[in-house]
């Protein structure tokens, strides 16, 4: 640290870090504390009443519809996670090896697509996947029968949308962990006579695993809250938890129920994030070890 | 034999990456294509080309209002997030204070957390808060939500450059008699400028395209993504592809500027390290 002077430090601290910290406490911690509390209340005549009871939780736990939706949401999140990582790994690997010279350009292309309005992109998929859309037209030209990709408004289309929107996350985490691997390790393996495949399996893959797991957890958590994909592409026959949550607020005005469903998902998300933090600290220890050795 | 195997793997990697990029641009290109389609129904093949939908778009008063709200929201979010994010980035690197680790973890939560759940929880909070202070759902709640979401991104972008910043330059200025304010405005901020501008653009785009938070926090005001969502939920119309195309063009310009700035920042970083 530079020149001391306790007064200056205090002044700097108040100005620089406190406004955002205050905002986080007021509008992030506050809502996260309130939500579980609300699950023990009830609504009468569209008004919230502060009466402490377990009624909402017993409804959520006893009604099979809710557990089915929650399970389906977690299952969809798991599947999307696997697909995302399987899709992302080769791309991240290529960006670190064969396409390293083009890495910047490819990354801009990915970031641009990624930052573009999600509602619009999802609508673009509707137009593409439509029976009379571009996709089917192309398939027909290639000799497939009419209506070859009839997946619009099915859970498959929703899944496609989720993978589309979330795959960039693991690409970046895997790319970063691959970039941190000391190239000398690979060269040493080659010098010792290991094949490319063996070097990959025994050196590169294990060392990039933290990035892959971090990306996977990120996709898992974020896909728990997806709504657009299942609503716009999935056709709404098999709603995910987020649709149900919105519905309990909009049409049924049942705050405690909505809060309980939200909180259930939040618990799953927080558990996954805790895993992410643990991997993060392991990564940091690993990196520190590498620097000292 | 082994070389052939390596070749195949290499080509599969390159081909796979290209296929992925194509996949990313499928919906974007589809929308651009349909924005010029001379037909009310959005089916393929397209019969003729027209600019009709762009003209119609600008005659739609709801579109104008949504555009205005989105622009105001994105600009306010950009300014506030940039100030808060830059301040936090400087504090994280330079200062030690109690609960620093906890605050850092908390600051990343908005990035890592599902936005829809975040929005719903904030909505509940504001609704209960209404019994004590009147916070009208609308622009104010939107700004609060968007700032909480965008600031961590600015923080990350600026932190990277603060990390490579040689604090000795600031000390030299202080030794030469510069006040704290002069050090900040003449030394620190100018050196960090590329990262700050990149963070600003990122914050703008994140707010501009945000659907999930706005969906819970908008009250009666409509932002562009909400306008589009409520439109396509009712039925598709060729004005939405037209909005998309204009949106892509604007975003393209901003992303190119942001990337230029980010690279300038990395170069400066490399320069100070050597």
């Amino acid at each position: 640290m530079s020149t001391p002077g306790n007064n200056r430090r205090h002044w700097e601290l108040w100005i620089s870090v406190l406004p955002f910290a205050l905002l986080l406490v007021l509008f992030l911690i506050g809502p996260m504390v309130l939500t579980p509390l609300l699950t023990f209340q009830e609504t009468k005549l569209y008004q919230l009443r502060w009466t402490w009871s377990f009624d909402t939780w017993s409804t959520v736990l006893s009604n099979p519809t809710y557990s089915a939706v929650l399970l389906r949401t977690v299952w969809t999140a798991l599947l999307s996670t696997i697909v995302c990582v399987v899709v992302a790994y080769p791309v991240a690997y290529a960006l670190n090896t064969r396409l390293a010279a083009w890495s910047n350009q490819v990354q801009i292309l990915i970031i641009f697509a990624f930052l573009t309005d999600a509602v619009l992109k999802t609508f673009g998929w509707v137009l593409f996947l439509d029976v009379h859309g571009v996709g089917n037209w192309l398939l027909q030209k290639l000799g497939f029968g009419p209506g070859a990709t009839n997946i619009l408004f099915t859970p498959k289309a929703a899944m496609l949308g989720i993978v589309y929107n979330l795959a960039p996350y693991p690409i970046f985490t895997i790319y970063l962990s691959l970039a941190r691997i000391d190239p000398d390790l690979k060269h040493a393996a080659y010098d010792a006579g290991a094949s490319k495949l063996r070097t990959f399996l025994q050196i590169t893959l294990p060392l990039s695993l933290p990035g892959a797991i971090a990306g996977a957890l990120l996709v898992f958590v974020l896909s728990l809250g997806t709504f657009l994909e299942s609503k716009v592409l999935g056709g709404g026959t098999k709603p995910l938890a987020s649709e149900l949550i919105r519905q309990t607020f909009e049409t049924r005005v049942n705050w405690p129920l909505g809060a309980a469903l939200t909180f259930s998902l939040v618990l799953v998300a927080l558990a996954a994030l805790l895993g992410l933090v643990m991997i993060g600290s392991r990564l940091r220890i690993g990196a520190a070890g590498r620097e000292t050795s | 034999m082994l070389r052939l195997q390596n070749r195949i793997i290499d080509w599969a990697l390159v081909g796979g990456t290209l296929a992925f990029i194509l996949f990313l641009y499928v919906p974007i290109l589809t929308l651009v294509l349909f924005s010029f389609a001379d037909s009310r129904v959005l089916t393929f093949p397209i019969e003729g080309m027209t600019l009709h939908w762009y003209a119609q778009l600008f005659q739609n008063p709801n579109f104008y209002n949504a555009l205005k709200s989105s622009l105001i929201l994105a600009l306010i979010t950009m300014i506030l997030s940039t100030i808060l994010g830059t301040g936090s980035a400087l504090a994280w690197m330079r200062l030690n204070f109690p609960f620093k680790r906890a605050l850092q973890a908390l600051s990343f939560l908005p990035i890592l957390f599902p936005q829809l759940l975040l929005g719903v929880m904030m909505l509940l909070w504001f609704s209960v808060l209404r019994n004590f202070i009147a916070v009208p759902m609308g622009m104010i709640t939107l700004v609060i939500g968007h700032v909480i979401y965008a600031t961590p991104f600015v923080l990350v972008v600026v932190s990277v450059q603060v990390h490579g910043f040689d604090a000795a330059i600031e000390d030299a200025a202080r030794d030469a008699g510069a006040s704290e304010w002069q050090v900040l405005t003449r030394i620190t901020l100018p050196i960090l400028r590329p990262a700050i501008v990149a963070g600003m653009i990122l914050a703008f785009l994140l707010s501009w395209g945000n659907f999930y938070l706005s969906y819970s926090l908008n009250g009666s005001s409509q932002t562009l993504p909400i306008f589009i969502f409520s439109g396509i939920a009712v039925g598709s119309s060729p004005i939405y592809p037209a909005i998309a195309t204009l949106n892509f063009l604007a975003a393209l310009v901003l992303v190119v500027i942001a990337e230029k700035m980010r690279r300038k920042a990395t170069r400066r970083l490399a320069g100070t390290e050597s």
Side-chain angles (χ1 to χ4, degrees), chain A residues 21-22 33 56-57 60 67 71 76 114 137 139 157 170 210 212 244 246 258 280:
Chain A
L22 213 64
V33 171
T56 307
W57 281 110
V60 171
S67 43
L71 269 179
T76 309
F114 181 58
W137 182 81
L139 284 177
L244 191 67
R246 286 293 314 188

Side-chain angles (χ1 to χ4, degrees), chain B residues 170-229:
Chain B
E170 290 178 332
D171 286 343
R174 271 185 211 112
D175 291 345
S179 69
E180 283 306 317
W181 178 251
Q182 282 174 321
V183 172
L184 182 71
T185 53
R186 307 242 181 111
I187 310 283
T188 316
L189 292 182
I191 292 179
L192 294 178
R193 204 183 60 200
I196 294 174
V197 173
M200 268 172 91
I201 293 176
L202 189 63
F204 182 90
L205 286 174
L206 287 169
S207 166
W208 179 258
N210 187 286
F211 167 74
Y212 283 109
L213 286 172
S214 304
Y215 191 48
S216 289
L217 300 173
N218 68 333
S220 58
S221 57
Q222 272 200 330
T223 63
L224 211 49
I226 303 284
F227 169 75
I228 298 162
F229 176 75

Side-chain angles (χ1 to χ4, degrees), chain B residues 205-267:
Chain B
L205 286 174
L206 287 169
S207 166
W208 179 258
N210 187 286
F211 167 74
Y212 283 109
L213 286 172
S214 304
Y215 191 48
S216 289
L217 300 173
N218 68 333
S220 58
S221 57
Q222 272 200 330
T223 63
L224 211 49
I226 303 284
F227 169 75
I228 298 162
F229 176 75
S230 32
I232 60 172
V234 178
S236 52
S237 153
I239 65 163
Y240 301 110
I243 297 177
T245 307
L246 294 176
N247 214 343
F248 299 149
L249 277 178
L252 189 65
V253 173
L254 287 178
V255 169
V256 169
I257 295 174
E259 182 58 25
K260 279 224 166 101
M261 286 293 166
R262 197 185 64 81
R263 270 200 231 165
K264 210 166 150 189
T266 342
R267 268 207 302 279

Side-chain angles (χ1 to χ4, degrees), chain B residues 32-94:
Chain B
V32 173
L33 188 69
F34 274 118
S35 75
F36 299 108
D38 191 7
S39 156
R40 189 160 283 279
V41 282
L42 298 173
T43 56
F44 209 76
I46 286 166
E47 280 139 28
M49 305 293 266
T50 178
L51 287 174
H52 174 68
W53 306 114
Y54 289 89
Q56 197 166 53
L57 186 61
F58 285 101
Q59 286 158 10
N60 186 328
N62 291 336
F63 168 71
Y64 256 121
N65 285 333
L67 187 71
K68 209 174 78 186
S69 305
S70 271
L71 204 60
I72 293 171
L73 176 60
L75 285 173
I76 297 177
T77 304
M78 176 181 88
I79 294 165
L80 291 179
S81 305
T82 307
I83 295 170
L84 296 176
T86 307
S88 300
L90 284 168
W92 284 19
M93 280 299 166
R94 304 283 177 77

Side-chain angles (χ1 to χ4, degrees), chain A residues 22-34, chain B residues 105-110 113 118 121-122 125 148:
Chain A
L22 213 64
L23 206 64
L24 286 172
V25 170
L26 263 179
F27 299 108
L28 189 65
I29 302 252
M32 291 186 92
V33 171
L34 176 75
Chain B
L106 188 65
S107 302
F108 280 120
L109 201 59
F113 212 71
L118 216 57
M121 290 194 289
M122 283 188 197
W125 175 251
I148 282 183

